[in-house]
Amino acid sequence: MANLIYYYGTMEAGKTTKLLMDHYNYLKNKKQVILTKPSIDTKGSNKVVSRIGNQAIVDFTINPNKSLLDDDYLEKFLNSDVIMVDEAQFLSPKQVSEFWYLAHLANIPVASYGLKVNFLGHLFEGSAELFAKADELRELTINCECGKLASQNVRLVNGHYCFDGPEVIIDGENNDVKYIPMCNDCMINKVILPNHPELKRIKK
Ligand SMILES: [Zn+2]
């Protein structure tokens, strides 16, 4: 039977670029591809857009409250050779399980792409379920500005590090929110330590 794969990483680690390359290859090999993403990601509306300029049109977006086994979704999935999911961290845990079932019961490979952690360093709900269920986990990486591997996504609001607010604010939507990939050392020292003086007692 087929597998559920999760390609995960920080912002700017090349997840969407990898998705678009895989998408191109499937089409070149005459595969019937379904490209989808949760409707919570409003960036690029019905497109999957990489930061280096490539893009593809999604076939449909997934409502966070709907089951993927509903007739309108299921028929499309069952008629495909492969399913690709962008911004998969925004899937509900139930939807992740449903993709897992589609891979293992309907024999349709599911390739999902997304973030591991939110701006507070916590797993997204969808990512946690993907870490629990995916048959393959592949990390895509980028360096922090200090040179170490980035593993966190720090939120900047109006140019300042931000450590509170809602989990989901899509960057670039008429706001001053940006995300930057950062290693744990830099996040702890630059973002967490200034707001937690008690931690200064253990800093060497
Ligand atoms: Zn760093």
Side-chain angles (χ1 to χ4, degrees):
M1 283 290 139
N3 281 347
L4 167 62
I5 302 179
Y6 190 34
Y7 295 95
Y8 68 94
T10 62
M11 304 292 278
E12 299 177 24
K15 302 179 299 300
T16 302
T17 302
K18 166 76 177 146
L19 179 152
L20 291 169
M21 282 166 47
D22 293 345
H23 185 248
Y24 173 83
N25 261 314
Y26 283 129
L27 294 180
K28 191 177 75 180
N29 293 327
K30 306 272 187 279
K31 298 289 185 193
Q32 194 72 36
V33 184
I34 289 287
L35 174 57
T36 186
K37 65 177 181 177
S39 56
I40 194 168
D41 174 57
T42 50
K43 193 189 294 179
S45 61
N46 67 335
K47 295 177 186 148
V48 170
V49 184
S50 84
R51 285 166 209 274
I52 57 171
N54 296 337
Q55 62 180 46
I57 306 289
V58 299
D59 293 287
F60 53 87
T61 56
I62 296 170
N63 181 318
N65 302 314
K66 283 203 167 177
S67 166
L68 303 181
L69 305 184
D70 285 355
D71 287 346
D72 43 344
Y73 290 131
L74 188 59
E75 192 178 341
K76 291 173 185 143
F77 289 137
L78 292 179
N79 286 322
S80 67
D81 298 320
V82 58
I83 300 166
M84 307 186 76
V85 190
D86 195 26
E87 306 290 353
Q89 74 275 2
F90 294 142
L91 293 169
S92 73
K94 182 164 174 277
Q95 289 170 338
V96 171
S97 291
E98 289 165 347
F99 276 131
W100 191 52
Y101 296 140
L102 279 165
H104 288 275
L105 294 174
N107 198 27
I108 301 167
V110 181
S112 60
Y113 306 74
L115 295 168
K116 178 180 178 183
V117 290
N118 66 19
F119 76 108
L120 297 172
H122 302 309
L123 289 170
F124 283 93
E125 206 178 45
S127 313
E129 198 65 16
L130 281 158
F131 271 76
K133 295 278 187 346
D135 301 280
E136 289 180 48
L137 291 166
R138 305 244 183 109
E139 185 170 18
L140 302 172
T141 60
I142 192 170
N143 286 345
C144 176
E145 65 176 12
C146 75
K148 289 184 80 171
L149 275 188
S151 49
Q152 302 289 340
N153 303 293
V154 170
R155 179 183 286 171
L156 278 173
V157 179
N158 297 319
H160 298 288
Y161 297 130
C162 172
F163 220 58
D164 52 29
E167 179 175 65
V168 181
I169 302 180
I170 307 290
D171 53 320
E173 285 195 322
N174 302 319
N175 57 39
D176 291 312
V177 175
K178 280 188 195 144
Y179 294 94
I180 49 173
M182 216 180 249
C183 74
N184 286 331
D185 279 347
C186 287
M187 183 184 186
I188 290 170
N189 280 288
K190 293 181 186 174
V191 186
I192 298 178
L193 204 56
N195 295 306
H196 291 273
E198 74 279 10
L199 293 175
K200 289 179 181 158
R201 292 189 301 137
I202 60 169
K203 181 168 169 56
K204 287 196 171 173

